[in-house]
Amino acid sequence: MTMQTLLDAITTALGDVPRPVPLHEPYFAGQEWTYVKECLDTGWVSSVGSYVDLFEQKLAKKCGVKHAISVVNGTAALQVMLRLVGVRAGDEVLMPALTFIATANAVSHCNAIPHFVECEKSTLAIDGKKLSDYLEKIAHIKDGDLYNKETGCRIAALVPVHIFGHPADMDALQQVADQYGLPLVADAAESLGSLYKGKPVESYGLCSAVSFNGNKIMTTGGGGAILTNSSDLAAKAKHLTTTAKQPHKWEFVHDEIGYNYRMPNINAAMGCAQLEQLDDFLLAKRKIVDAYSRAFDGVNEASFHKEPDYAHSNYWLNAIVLHDVNERDSTLAALNQAGYICRPIWRLMHRMAMYETCPRMDLSISEEMEARVINIPSSVKHGL
Ligand SMILES: *Cc1c(COP(=O)(O)O)cnc(C)c1O
């Protein structure tokens, strides 16, 4: 029977662990207590303190970029990143329909309009070829800007999402972006530690946004960052996220409408401790993947979702792809009933009430994958 085979595979992979088994738990085995205590002891818990600078330096290095600007969460990082590359009110932003709601919300927070594009089966990320064919039909370039012929709106950016940590095909997407003069900026909320063609995936495109929410591969409690090689964009990001205040000994002069999005020092302290363990977390993830791959090898009902050939994924969240499009909900019910906290992939963006009327291309692959993908327990501790 289907359910029993799937249950057995998960049990074989994870071994005898207490249930319920969460989908993804944070793991604290480093200097978290020490660094956070230091913030409390010294009083530097809030918007000023040395851990913020330290965290940003270490993070930039890890991601192979020149600059990291830490902020309060991944959604804020996305919003600021979009604003930095010129997304304005009324513009459309190309982004996948298959993603977490925050990508679309960040576009909306810029008063822009999400324009949903199709994913490919292998990575679940944007399909460059289909996007290119689509833009060929619906878009035209006028005075150096790209416009949607159907809505008349400017198309201002292309935002791939590295789903579950698996890098989108950035070279293919960069080619589309270049062809149409679009800035390529990535939602890398899930992919910290992933490599694309041997280099950190965050080093591709103009900027990337990462998240340090409690369910991500490492956490600062809540947090996010903008990563870029551009010194100009980095300076603008810092300025915008810290109330756009001009430096002065005592005067409060703010030169545009900024945000209070700065990451507090106490969260950055936790981030420094977590970052020191990231390589161990990545190794642990590999062990879990090996165990799942072996356990699902030969299972007829589903396949284990693997990284593409060109990438080394952080495997943040593991997934299985059911072969039957009609079994997802009964499978979820059985797995959760057995104490394995499993979840469907996110409901597609164009099926949410607030995004129903947004422009979109044919999304049949996204719709098929929505019906087939299930996330299975992926906590670091299973691989230690
Ligand atoms: C987690 C996540 C975000 C948002 O990050 P927060 O820190 O929760 O705001 C954005 N996009 C994707 C794909 C995510 O998984």
Side-chain angles (χ1 to χ4, degrees), residues 73-75 78 99-100 102-103 161 187 189-190 211 213 216 223:
N73 57 51
T75 312
L78 283 165
T99 181
F100 177 55
T103 325
V161 182
D187 179 341
E190 306 179 352
S211 165
N213 190 40
K216 297 301 199 286

Side-chain angles (χ1 to χ4, degrees), residues 29-334:
Q31 300 299 311
E32 286 88 352
W33 279 106
T34 315
Y35 297 168
V36 169
K37 184 171 184 301
E38 192 193 314
C39 295
L40 295 170
D41 289 343
T42 59
W44 296 110
V45 294
S46 189
S47 50
V48 184
S50 58
Y51 279 114
V52 175
D53 292 341
L54 192 62
F55 182 55
E56 290 179 343
Q57 282 163 22
K58 287 181 176 211
L59 184 65
K61 188 150 180 254
K62 190 86 217 162
C63 296
V65 293
K66 293 207 186 97
H67 309 278
I69 297 89
S70 56
V71 294
V72 288
N73 57 51
T75 312
L78 283 165
Q79 180 197 350
V80 170
M81 176 176 89
L82 292 168
R83 215 181 125 169
L84 286 177
V85 300
V87 172
R88 300 188 300 252
D91 286 343
E92 290 176 12
V93 172
L94 300 167
M95 57 160 283
L98 188 76
T99 181
F100 177 55
I101 194 78
T103 325
N105 286 347
V107 170
S108 303
H109 294 158
C110 295
N111 294 313
I113 302 149
H115 186 149
F116 301 121
V117 305
E118 179 68 305
C119 72
E120 49 183 12
K121 275 188 192 179
S122 56
T123 56
L124 300 176
I126 295 179
D127 186 321
K129 173 76 176 73
K130 282 190 183 158
L131 175 61
S132 168
D133 293 347
Y134 174 66
L135 289 176
E136 180 77 40
K137 265 191 293 174
I138 67 112
H140 68 119
I141 299 176
K142 197 178 73 191
D143 302 331
D145 278 329
L146 187 67
Y147 287 87
N148 181 338
K149 282 193 256 185
E150 287 159 16
T151 60
C153 294
R154 190 172 79 112
I155 301 177
L158 171 57
V159 187
V161 182
H162 308 303
I163 306 285
F164 306 148
H166 303 319
D169 190 349
M170 292 302 275
D171 283 346
L173 294 176
Q174 187 66 61
Q175 216 177 333
V176 179
D178 290 345
Q179 188 184 345
Y180 291 96
L182 288 171
L184 177 67
V185 290
D187 179 341
E190 306 179 352
S191 56
L192 188 69
S194 295
L195 306 178
Y196 176 75
K197 300 189 178 170
K199 289 201 307 189
V201 72
E202 293 82 10
S203 63
Y204 291 82
L206 259 185
C207 310
S208 297
V210 292
S211 165
F212 307 110
N213 190 40
N215 64 341
K216 297 301 199 286
I217 190 160
M218 60 157 269
T219 184
T220 58
I226 300 155
L227 303 161
T228 183
N229 276 316
S230 157
S231 304
D232 177 47
L233 291 181
K236 284 185 179 143
K238 196 64 176 176
H239 189 64
L240 256 187
T241 54
T242 55
T243 72
K245 184 180 177 296
Q246 289 185 347
H248 191 279
K249 273 196 187 123
W250 54 79
E251 289 266 26
F252 290 99
V253 182
H254 305 262
D255 53 21
E256 63 182 310
I257 301 174
Y259 306 93
N260 175 18
Y261 280 173
R262 189 197 320 250
M263 177 183 281
N265 199 51
I266 196 163
N267 299 82
M270 215 167 128
C272 286
Q274 287 269 288
L275 209 48
E276 288 166 3
Q277 299 161 81
L278 181 60
D279 288 342
D280 298 335
F281 293 175
L282 291 167
L283 287 176
K285 293 284 192 184
R286 284 276 143 184
K287 282 202 192 147
I288 304 170
V289 168
D290 290 346
Y292 272 137
S293 303
R294 261 182 275 120
F296 278 96
D297 199 28
V299 169
N300 291 321
E301 294 80 1
S303 12
F304 182 69
H305 182 57
K306 291 198 176 132
E307 67 197 350
D309 291 341
Y310 56 67
H312 190 79
S313 174
N314 70 357
Y315 276 100
W316 165 58
L317 214 50
N318 292 303
I320 52 173
V321 183
L322 301 177
H323 296 168
D324 190 324
V325 290
N326 298 310
E327 301 238 308
R328 189 192 78 174
D329 292 348
S330 54
T331 306
L332 279 169

